[in-house]
Amino acid sequence: MAEKGIERRLAAIMSADVAGYSRLMGADEAGTLVALKALRKDVFAPQVAAHKGRVVKLMGDGALVEFPSIVNAVDCAIAVQRALADRATDEAIRLRIGINLGDIIIEGSDIYGDGVNVAARIQEVAEPGGVALSAVAHDQVAGKVEAAFEDAGEHELKNIDKPVRVYRWTDAAANPLPITTEAGDALPLPDKPSIAVLPFTNMSGDPEQEYFSDGITEDVITELSRFRSLFVIARNSSFTFKGQAVDVTDVGQTLGVQYVVEGSVRKAANRVRVTAQLVEAETGNHIWAERWDRELEDIFAVQDELVRTIVSTVGGRIDAIGKARATRNSEAHLRAYDFYLRAAAAEDGNTKEDYQRARQHLDRAIELDPGLAMAHHHLSLVNFVEWMAHWVDDRDMAFAAALNAENKAVAIDDTDSRIHAQLGQLHHHRRSFDEAGQDFEKAIRLNPNDFQAMALYGNY
């Protein structure tokens, strides 16, 4: 039985984002923003309108679009990719597009639910310039669109319970290949050491532990990105390779990096094994590899050692991270950290129920360790999303709770760009523009690699 007051319907959903956006922003921030704006105005919006679609929301470099017909959605996606291929240059913006047909929940002008989540995850496995469909979408358009699709097999998609079979558009006109120049050369590298951290593999034999290996990967990316001497690929780009057997050389060319980090995490009881290796992308040569077998309370020391080894090995200058580590080995902190990772994984589901579950994990984390800044930060995010999505009756209270939680986070850790970026976003929405600008600028000073901080600052 449908939940009372909840409007549902079947819809065709398109999720699109820019391939290699962090690299493009790092190479030419102003030029990339101008190009993205032109793409949306000249290509994306006209095609969506022509195919009777509705842009639900634009999210930084991404877009979510709803169509009344799956045929319209696929025709629109292919028309967009062909138009972009026609105007392509060496540094042209290329999109990844994922399409799904599924049940959605409508709240105001926004949409949620599994239909949306699957589309977003399929988009992550689409290739630059390509279109990926779920099996149910492919079945509905077979013989109805002038395009060929190849079976790309089943994919384990993050926060999706069952594997999803994916079909890829194979029209060569859109060049759905790793981004290269016309001469076939790799992307130009940034002017400082550049690195991508691929998702660490969960070796625990338990899919429920996926959040832990993903959390470790994200922490390593975050810590590395603090170093101004490195260019670090953002999580969104690195995680497009999750669950795939990849060639490190292809990864380097696709993302435009000199080095790639890959590894695995095995967690069992109170023991953890972390393996990591640093590979030179151009040659495929292994620069170093290491394995740590430790008690779980040593996981933060392993993270620190991994980060410092990477930074020193690739020739970067080891800046002072400025984070207090003294209390991180307590049992309470470890348990709180685990709850925080569970909450962060739940948020990726993007449904009301997922955020309610995340709140429960965060409340438990803060109860165990009130000094865990990231738990307060994510509690702020939960309240903010619930405010934005109208998921609560008292929106004023939700916004006030978001601001209060973020203020607690910054009081605990004033050196984290993510905290200042979120605080800036809250000040922006309450129209405290001077305070918003100060927090955004501090976020970018703390971490020039924080693409979300830059995107929010651009919005501001």
Side-chain angles (χ1 to χ4, degrees), residues 241-411:
F241 296 96
K242 182 175 173 64
Q244 301 182 38
V246 297
D247 183 298
V248 171
T249 302
D250 290 341
V251 173
Q253 292 178 350
T254 302
L255 298 179
V257 294
Q258 295 165 283
Y259 303 98
V260 173
V261 176
E262 53 186 0
S264 65
V265 178
R266 185 190 301 273
K267 178 187 173 193
N270 198 43
R271 297 283 296 177
V272 62
R273 168 177 291 181
V274 178
T275 66
Q277 53 189 7
L278 180 67
V279 184
E280 187 176 40
E282 183 178 4
T283 63
N285 292 335
H286 286 65
I287 298 173
W288 62 257
E290 187 60 84
R291 185 181 78 183
W292 295 268
D293 287 297
R294 304 285 177 83
E295 297 295 326
L296 189 57
E297 58 264 22
D298 293 329
I299 187 63
F300 306 112
V302 171
Q303 286 181 24
D304 291 345
E305 185 177 341
L306 174 58
V307 169
R308 290 184 179 278
T309 303
I310 291 169
V311 174
S312 59
T313 301
V314 301
R317 176 173 55 86
I318 300 180
D319 302 320
I321 292 178
K323 293 185 73 177
R325 307 280 188 178
T327 62
R328 288 177 44 146
N329 288 342
S330 69
E331 181 181 353
H333 179 89
L334 287 165
R335 293 175 61 202
Y337 177 72
D338 191 79
F339 277 111
Y340 145 64
L341 292 181
R342 291 175 185 271
E347 289 166 34
D348 285 343
N350 289 322
T351 69
K352 183 177 181 179
E353 293 73 21
D354 289 318
Y355 274 85
Q356 289 173 341
R357 189 165 64 256
R359 178 188 295 280
Q360 293 171 356
H361 291 318
L362 293 168
D363 286 343
R364 187 74 179 109
I366 292 169
E367 178 186 341
L368 288 165
D369 184 0
L372 183 57
M374 275 295 98
H376 293 282
H377 167 65
H378 275 263
L379 185 59
S380 174
L381 291 174
V382 167
N383 281 294
F384 180 70
V385 170
E386 290 180 337
W387 173 78
M388 287 280 289
H390 295 257
W391 283 341
V392 289
D393 294 330
D394 192 334
R395 295 183 69 234
D396 289 342
M397 182 178 292
F399 190 90
L403 186 60
N404 180 59
E406 205 63 55
N407 279 324
K408 287 182 179 178
V410 79

